[in-house]
């Protein structure tokens, strides 16, 4: 993917930027990033009352659409939210017998096929490290992993699980070149890629979504909600608007 240059975007009349949106290249060094959020922008006033609250369309995104995004997908779905999940990687990577020998699949490979493949390779090993249990859960939720860059649905809220994924989502949104001017809020909740942290992270994402939905004016209150969550969880949340 070619490096992106910083550009000033055109915003709808009811959106007043506090700072110019800068989307860093996903391969850039993390030391180049500000210690604060990538962008702080005043969301527009709520258009049409409670539409965003009652019909919030959510995407949760990690790298391979296996562990972190699917754990959150599972929880949010059980709580009645409209949610989809995705990965941003070029392929799906799962741990193998050694660090340098991962199991690699295309995003078109169903969870069922991945489950059968790993079970044939070493049922005891992949049961012990939790991969068979994870894939069993995933295949009960949907057929196969999905790649964010190949999906054309429009969302109200995108939650990423890693800063690199956050950057990739923003890059892809910028490259789409849409002209609908529909805003989507992109928030990163940093989650380590292991089973225990994925479970804890899913509850953080659920709490964040619940706070947004409980607000009378979620778009205007979003930055305050994020500030409160940061203090409560002692975590830094990245936030940026993007547009379709």
């Amino acid at each position: 993917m070619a490096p992106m240059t910083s550009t000033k975007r055109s915003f709808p009349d009811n959106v007043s930027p506090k700072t110019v949106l800068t989307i860093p290249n996903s391969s850039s060094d993390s030391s180049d990033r500000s210690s604060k959020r990538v962008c702080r922008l005043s969301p527009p006033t709520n258009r049409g009352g409670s539409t965003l609250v009652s019909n919030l369309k959510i995407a949760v995104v990690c790298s391979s659409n296996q562990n972190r995004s699917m754990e959150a997908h599972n929880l949010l779905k059980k709580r009645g939210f409209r949610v989809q999940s995705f990965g941003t990687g070029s392929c799906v990577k799962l741990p193998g017998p050694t660090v340098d020998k991962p199991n690699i699949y295309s995003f078109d490979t169903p969870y069922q096929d991945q489950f059968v493949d790993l079970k044939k390779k070493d049922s005891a090993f992949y049961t012990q490290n939790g991969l068979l249990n994870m894939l069993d859960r995933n295949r009960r939720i949907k057929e196969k992993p999905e790649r964010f860059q190949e999906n054309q649905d429009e969302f109200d809220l995108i939650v990423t699980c890693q800063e690199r994924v956050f950057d990739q989502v923003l890059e892809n949104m910028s490259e789409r070149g849409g002209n609908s001017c529909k805003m989507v809020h992109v928030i990163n909740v940093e989650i380590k890629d292991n089973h225990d942290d994925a479970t804890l992270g899913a509850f953080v994402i659920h709490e964040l979504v619940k706070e947004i939905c409980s607000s009378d004016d979620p778009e205007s209150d979003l930055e305050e909600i994020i500030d409160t969550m940061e203090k409560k969880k002692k975590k830094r949340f990245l936030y940026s608007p993007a547009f379709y």
Side-chain angles (χ1 to χ4, degrees):
M1 184 176 293
M4 297 187 61
T5 56
S6 298
T7 57
K8 186 171 182 179
R9 298 189 58 162
S10 298
F11 299 93
D13 293 339
N14 60 349
V15 180
S16 55
K18 290 183 180 177
T19 60
V20 176
L21 174 62
T22 301
I23 303 175
N25 188 343
S26 61
S27 61
S28 62
D29 189 277
S30 60
S31 62
D32 293 335
R33 297 188 176 95
S34 167
S35 60
K36 291 303 289 180
R37 299 189 183 98
V38 172
C39 173
R40 296 302 301 264
L41 207 104
S42 297
T45 55
N46 195 345
R47 300 181 297 275
S50 61
T51 301
L52 181 63
V53 176
S54 60
N55 296 307
L56 193 70
K57 192 171 182 181
I58 306 162
V60 187
V61 191
C62 66
S63 182
S64 291
N65 197 198
Q66 290 280 3
N67 182 32
R68 295 165 293 180
S69 61
M70 287 299 286
E71 185 72 39
H73 185 158
N74 189 38
L75 179 61
L76 291 173
K77 183 180 179 182
K78 286 181 177 178
R79 297 295 189 271
F81 291 99
R82 298 172 62 201
V83 58
Q84 293 173 246
S85 60
F86 303 93
T88 56
S90 58
C91 59
V92 171
K93 292 184 180 180
L94 294 175
T98 61
V99 175
D100 61 337
K101 292 182 179 179
N103 293 283
I104 299 176
Y105 305 98
S106 71
F107 273 89
D108 289 330
T109 306
Y111 293 118
Q112 170 68 17
D113 292 356
Q114 297 175 41
F115 179 91
V116 171
D117 183 50
L118 294 188
K119 192 169 184 179
K120 285 181 179 178
K121 286 179 177 178
D122 193 333
S123 180
F125 175 74
Y126 291 114
T127 297
Q128 186 275 330
N129 71 5
L131 285 187
L132 290 182
N133 182 64
M134 180 189 75
L135 288 168
D136 182 52
R137 175 204 62 198
N138 293 353
R139 66 183 179 177
R140 297 172 188 273
I141 297 172
K142 62 181 186 177
E143 180 187 2
K144 60 186 179 181
E146 296 174 82
R147 193 164 184 261
F148 179 80
Q149 293 91 329
E150 297 171 1
N151 182 272
Q152 299 302 314
D153 293 335
E154 294 187 357
F155 297 94
D156 301 300
L157 174 66
I158 299 173
V159 183
T160 61
C161 302
Q162 185 178 346
E163 187 169 353
R164 178 171 58 86
V165 174
F166 176 80
D167 292 344
Q168 290 170 332
V169 166
L170 291 179
E171 284 181 324
N172 178 255
M173 292 296 298
S174 178
E175 290 169 355
R176 291 188 185 196
N179 55 13
S180 71
C181 288
K182 176 185 175 181
M183 176 184 282
V184 55
H185 301 285
V186 186
I187 303 173
N188 184 66
V189 179
E190 195 72 19
I191 304 171
K192 292 181 180 179
D193 194 5
N194 60 64
H195 298 304
D196 290 341
D197 282 302
T199 300
L200 294 173
F203 282 102
V204 174
I205 291 173
H206 173 252
E207 186 172 346
L208 172 66
V209 171
K210 197 165 62 170
E211 288 295 324
I212 292 171
C213 289
S214 65
S215 169
D216 292 332
D217 192 348
E219 291 189 336
S220 297
D221 294 343
L222 185 58
E223 289 195 12
E224 183 179 348
I225 291 169
I226 293 172
D227 284 335
T228 301
M229 287 289 294
E230 283 185 327
K231 293 172 184 175
K232 184 175 181 180
K233 301 300 179 181
K234 295 180 172 59
K235 295 169 68 78
R236 183 170 66 98
F237 289 57
L238 297 175
Y239 164 67
S240 177
F243 296 88
Y244 287 105

